[in-house]
Amino acid sequence: MPRDSLGHLVAGRISPPRPVPSTIPRPEYVGRPAPKPFTGSDVYTPSEIERIRESGAIAARAVEAVGDAIRPGVTTDELDGIAHDYMIANGAYPSTLGYRGFPKSSCTSLNEVICHGIPDDTQLSDGDIINIDITAFKNGMHGDLNKTFIVGNAAPDVTALVDHTREALARGIKAVAPGRQVNVIGRAIESYARRFGYGVVRDYTGHGVGSAFHSGLIIPHYDAAPAFDDVIEVGMVFTIEPMLTLGTTENPGSIAWDQWEDDWTITTRDKSMTAQFEHTLVVTERGTEILTLP
Ligand code: MF3
Ligand code: CO
Ligand code: CO
């Protein structure tokens, strides 16, 4: 189970909700259908940035703890338990838990799952790739990152996809500078991805993050100019989180996807493998500083 006869993923069984001690403050959206519209700024003060960095570091160390447990046979629910326990032990609330009804403390997206996979009883197999996306909330701030891990040994084209997606994030980060429009980020990512013939997911994007999980600021991962012309400013905080696929790029670079009945899991329509990497960063005079380092 959790794979069909072709080896494609199917939905597994989701375990009951994990409790969070009442001493840990919750984001405002928990227990409500959706967050309140965010009216604040994407530009933060130095002391606010330090709070985002603390949340980001907790999330990053949770990703590391999960990464250390990745091996064939482990379930994505067991990995979610590690993420959950790490955040709780560090006084942080797992931002995804109860976000628009998402039931778990991390997103675990395997193989053809582009993003928002729900941890369940699916066991990892040798040759899988799995993205672990974790956001921690502490002192009123969210820090959001993800990484894709290889389970055992993957096919060479899959290993290359993972390496090139990590590099695509690095290229996007390098394109950030105050005074430029946010669309320079996707231009750098897409032109790099195109060299290898990868698909670039357009419908899921980077975002402003900090006091809100998703502020409303959108960071595309493709060349969206002249749209998405928000000007990058010193002190702005946002994520960059490209999703690249081995699938064929039908309409210029745009990748077709499906959503499962669980209302969350997003897969490539052609079931091709897909990888993602994400960091939260702050804009500085000289470029950026990553806020989601362990
Ligand atoms: N962490 C994801 C992001 O990078 C968002 C996950 S929302 C969830 O923006 F509800 F799916 F968990
Ligand atoms: Co994320
Ligand atoms: Co994000």
Side-chain angles (χ1 to χ4, degrees):
M1 257 287 281
R3 319 249 169 168
D4 67 16
S5 55
L6 294 172
H8 296 138
L9 294 160
V10 298
R13 186 179 299 267
I14 299 171
S15 68
R18 292 190 164 85
V20 178
S22 57
T23 49
I24 294 182
R26 282 132 166 83
E28 53 79 22
Y29 53 74
V30 174
R32 306 160 42 89
K36 297 201 180 95
F38 180 68
T39 54
S41 173
D42 288 298
V43 176
Y44 290 87
T45 65
S47 70
E48 290 171 331
I49 290 163
E50 289 320 301
R51 283 154 58 203
I52 302 172
R53 193 194 306 275
E54 186 185 350
S55 300
I58 293 169
R61 294 194 295 260
V63 169
E64 284 196 334
V66 171
D68 288 345
I70 287 177
R71 55 175 168 77
V74 74
T75 69
T76 53
D77 186 60
E78 289 170 317
L79 298 177
D80 183 69
I82 293 168
H84 182 88
D85 292 348
Y86 187 88
M87 286 185 270
I88 299 305
N90 287 276
Y93 184 91
S95 304
T96 61
L97 184 63
Y99 177 75
R100 297 181 184 271
F102 191 85
K104 290 287 159 189
S105 301
S106 57
C107 297
T108 53
S109 301
L110 257 82
N111 298 345
E112 67 267 28
V113 179
I114 294 171
C115 61
H116 302 166
I118 304 175
D120 63 15
D121 63 352
T122 302
Q123 290 186 353
L124 303 190
S125 297
D126 187 59
D128 284 346
I129 57 173
I130 180 168
N131 180 275
I132 305 296
D133 191 338
I134 294 180
T135 308
F137 177 77
K138 189 173 180 178
N139 297 320
M141 295 295 180
H142 299 269
D144 181 11
L145 82 156
N146 71 51
K147 287 187 196 310
T148 299
F149 296 88
I150 295 171
V151 184
N153 298 292
D157 60 335
V158 173
T159 302
L161 172 71
V162 172
D163 289 341
H164 292 145
T165 307
R166 188 186 301 106
E167 177 62 19
L169 169 58
R171 302 273 170 132
I173 292 173
K174 280 208 189 81
V176 175
R180 295 184 178 168
Q181 298 180 353
V182 300
N183 58 34
V184 302
I185 298 166
R187 187 172 315 138
I189 291 169
E190 187 173 35
S191 70
Y192 181 72
R194 283 286 182 85
R195 289 195 207 170
F196 308 98
Y198 298 144
V200 177
V201 175
R202 296 192 174 199
D203 298 320
Y204 295 87
T205 66
H207 52 92
V209 64
S211 45
F213 191 174
H214 297 100
S215 73
L217 171 67
I218 288 173
I219 311 291
H221 302 120
Y222 63 98
D223 187 357
F228 298 95
D229 58 355
D230 305 82
V231 175
I232 298 171
E233 289 177 58
V234 173
M236 256 188 181
V237 177
F238 53 81
T239 74
I240 305 177
E241 46 185 297
M243 287 143 269
L244 304 185
T245 82
L246 283 182
T248 48
T249 56
E250 305 127 34
N251 324 316
S254 170
I255 273 299
W257 49 268
D258 291 307
Q259 185 169 41
W260 285 4
E261 304 271 311
D262 62 16
D263 285 344
W264 281 107
T265 309
I266 306 294
T267 74
T268 53
R269 182 157 292 167
D270 63 5
K271 312 280 209 263
S272 61
M273 297 284 244
T274 165
Q276 182 181 23
F277 285 83
E278 173 178 29
H279 273 305
T280 295
L281 44 95
V282 59
V283 180
T284 64
E285 312 276 357
R286 290 160 26 84
T288 61
E289 211 176 313
I290 297 174
L291 298 177
T292 36
L293 295 176

